[in-house]
């Protein structure tokens, strides 16, 4: 008998994958955590029934959340990642030689441990000596560290449960205060097909705080609708002006040529920024 896992992405739509076995299951203090082995995408992490990452397509999300900001800021030395317990964004951050500190703040320590066991290629950056891992509330951490970071990357789960506060204006205000005077933030902001109201609201909230606000997208097969959005807020640096870092990046999706075209949005997505 074939076994299939289905994520119900909306009340009327889902994505399904053929699986071979369940590798891990536990109920953490915050959520249900499952690791399943799929035929199409390799290992898949699922939190509260929602796909977080897979072996095969993880690089798209992690590269696009990270490198757009890191190549907009001319000298990102101190970087903070909120969420992202799988370590993928940290892996991308530490590719930059000028990074002196990379701090990961993840509320659920079990996600970090599961990633180390079942996604070692994603979690590999956590062993870098520049990395500090904090298992605590990201909102609280932000409030306690003003004017400390050049770049803040918000790698949150969907806006349910413990992640709801990561999509609200007070959190973005805290990020603004935690950034230095020329700091940049990027947050994942869900699907332009299924989360239009959320994207519009987040864009407006961020645009009231930052001199520059920019929405961009990437294609991620296992995320709802396959089209995903990210929203950048920059205090000083125009996202249209790419600061090319000296080191050549080892990337599979992101490139400087792609970066230059990111802000040419389809009209139905562009409407969300008005």
């Amino acid at each position: 008998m074939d076994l299939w896992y289905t994520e119900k992405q909306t009340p009327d739509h889902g994505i399904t994958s053929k699986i071979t076995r369940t590798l891990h299951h536990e109920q953490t203090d915050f959520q249900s955590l499952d690791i399943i082995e799929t035929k199409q995408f390799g290992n898949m992490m699922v939190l509260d029934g929602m796909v977080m990452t897979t072996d095969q397509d993880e690089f798209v999300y992690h590269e696009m959340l990270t490198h757009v900001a890191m190549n907009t800021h001319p000298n990102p030395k101190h970087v903070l990642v909120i969420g992202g317990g799988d370590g993928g964004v940290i892996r991308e951050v530490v590719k930059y030689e000028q990074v002196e500190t990379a701090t990961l703040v993840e509320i659920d320590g079990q996600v970090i441990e599961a990633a180390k066991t079942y996604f070692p290629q994603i979690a590999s950056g956590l062993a870098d000596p520049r990395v500090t891992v904090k298992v605590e509330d990201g909102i609280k951490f932000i409030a306690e560290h003003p004017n400390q970071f050049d770049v803040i990357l918000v790698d949150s789960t969907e806006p349910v449960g413990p992640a709801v506060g990561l999509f609200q204006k007070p959190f973005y205000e805290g990020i603004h205060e935690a950034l230095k005077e020329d700091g940049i933030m990027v947050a994942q902001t869900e699907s332009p097909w299924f989360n239009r109201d959320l994207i519009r609201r987040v864009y407006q909230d961020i645009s009231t705080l930052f001199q520059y606000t920019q929405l961009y997208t990437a294609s991620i097969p296992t995320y709802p609708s396959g089209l995903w959005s990210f929203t950048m807020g920059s205090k000083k640096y125009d996202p249209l002006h790419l600061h090319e870092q000296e080191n050549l990046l080892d990337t599979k999706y992101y490139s400087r040529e792609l970066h230059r075209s990111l802000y040419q949005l389809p009209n139905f997505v562009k409407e969300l920024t008005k």
Side-chain angles (χ1 to χ4, degrees), residues 7 19 23 80 92 94 100 118 120 129 141 149 201 216 266:
E7 177 190 351
I19 67 173
L23 298 172
L80 171 65
E92 299 303 310
V94 298
E100 297 177 2
Y118 298 103
F141 184 90
F149 300 101
R201 174 176 57 78
Y216 62 94

Side-chain angles (χ1 to χ4, degrees), residues 113-259:
E113 295 309 312
K116 290 177 179 178
T117 300
Y118 298 103
F119 300 91
Q121 80 285 6
I122 301 178
S124 58
L126 296 175
D128 190 287
R130 295 170 292 172
V131 174
T132 299
V133 177
K134 302 280 189 179
V135 179
E136 57 183 275
D137 187 326
I139 297 175
K140 182 173 180 289
F141 184 90
I142 284 283
E144 295 173 348
H145 294 80
N147 193 35
Q148 290 196 19
F149 300 101
D150 300 303
V151 173
I152 296 178
L153 305 170
V154 184
D155 182 2
S156 61
T157 59
E158 276 78 355
V160 294
V164 168
L166 302 183
F167 291 85
Q168 296 177 354
K169 189 173 183 179
F171 178 58
Y172 303 132
E173 292 172 340
I175 288 177
H176 188 275
E177 294 303 311
L179 286 168
K180 296 181 180 180
E181 62 180 9
D182 62 346
I184 296 175
M185 69 155 288
V186 175
Q188 75 86 3
T189 44
E190 304 289 306
S191 165
W193 289 106
F194 298 151
N195 307 98
R196 295 174 63 81
D197 290 342
L198 180 144
I199 294 171
R200 185 179 288 111
R201 174 176 57 78
V202 168
Y203 186 91
Q204 292 301 321
D205 287 345
I206 292 176
S207 66
T208 64
L209 299 168
F210 291 85
Q211 181 176 356
Y212 298 100
T213 305
Q214 191 66 57
L215 182 70
Y216 62 94
T217 62
S219 174
I220 307 174
T222 55
Y223 282 11
S225 83
L227 182 65
W228 210 244
S229 77
F230 306 83
T231 303
M232 173 191 291
S234 176
K235 288 186 175 183
K236 180 178 179 179
Y237 304 112
D238 186 344
L240 298 179
H241 296 158
L242 174 62
H243 290 273
E244 296 191 12
Q245 308 293 351
E246 293 182 1
N247 56 316
L248 296 176
L249 295 173
D250 176 19
T251 57
K252 297 180 180 180
Y253 191 94
Y254 174 87
S255 69
R256 288 158 184 169
E257 293 75 19
L258 176 65
H259 187 133

Side-chain angles (χ1 to χ4, degrees), residues 12-208:
D12 304 305
H13 174 77
I15 182 175
T16 188
S17 291
K18 188 176 182 180
I19 67 173
T20 53
R21 55 177 174 160
T22 296
L23 298 172
H24 181 86
H25 169 75
E26 67 175 302
Q27 182 67 44
T28 76
D29 291 340
F30 300 95
Q31 56 207 333
S32 174
L33 166 60
D34 292 278
I35 311 295
I36 55 181
E37 185 180 72
T38 75
K39 297 288 285 187
Q40 187 69 49
F41 292 102
N43 287 358
M44 175 183 287
M45 178 183 288
V46 179
L47 298 179
D48 282 343
M50 296 174 286
V51 177
M52 292 295 109
T53 197
T54 79
D55 283 333
Q56 295 300 314
D57 70 349
E58 57 86 10
F59 63 89
V60 183
Y61 176 81
H62 294 133
E63 291 180 12
M64 294 303 287
L65 182 56
T66 306
H67 296 304
V68 179
M70 297 293 285
N71 282 279
T72 299
H73 196 291
N75 193 22
K77 293 183 177 181
H78 304 285
V79 181
L80 171 65
V81 179
I82 299 294
D86 57 39
V89 173
I90 285 289
R91 180 195 65 197
E92 299 303 310
V93 167
V94 298
K95 290 179 178 179
Y96 293 84
E97 293 179 357
Q98 68 267 45
V99 169
E100 297 177 2
T101 66
T103 305
L104 174 70
V105 180
E106 163 64 53
I107 197 170
D108 194 341
Q110 296 308 108
V111 172
I112 299 171
E113 295 309 312
K116 290 177 179 178
T117 300
Y118 298 103
F119 300 91
Q121 80 285 6
I122 301 178
S124 58
L126 296 175
D128 190 287
R130 295 170 292 172
V131 174
T132 299
V133 177
K134 302 280 189 179
V135 179
E136 57 183 275
D137 187 326
I139 297 175
K140 182 173 180 289
F141 184 90
I142 284 283
E144 295 173 348
H145 294 80
N147 193 35
Q148 290 196 19
F149 300 101
D150 300 303
V151 173
I152 296 178
L153 305 170
V154 184
D155 182 2
S156 61
T157 59
E158 276 78 355
V160 294
V164 168
L166 302 183
F167 291 85
Q168 296 177 354
K169 189 173 183 179
F171 178 58
Y172 303 132
E173 292 172 340
I175 288 177
H176 188 275
E177 294 303 311
L179 286 168
K180 296 181 180 180
E181 62 180 9
D182 62 346
I184 296 175
M185 69 155 288
V186 175
Q188 75 86 3
T189 44
E190 304 289 306
S191 165
W193 289 106
F194 298 151
N195 307 98
R196 295 174 63 81
D197 290 342
L198 180 144
I199 294 171
R200 185 179 288 111
R201 174 176 57 78
V202 168
Y203 186 91
Q204 292 301 321
D205 287 345
I206 292 176
S207 66
T208 64

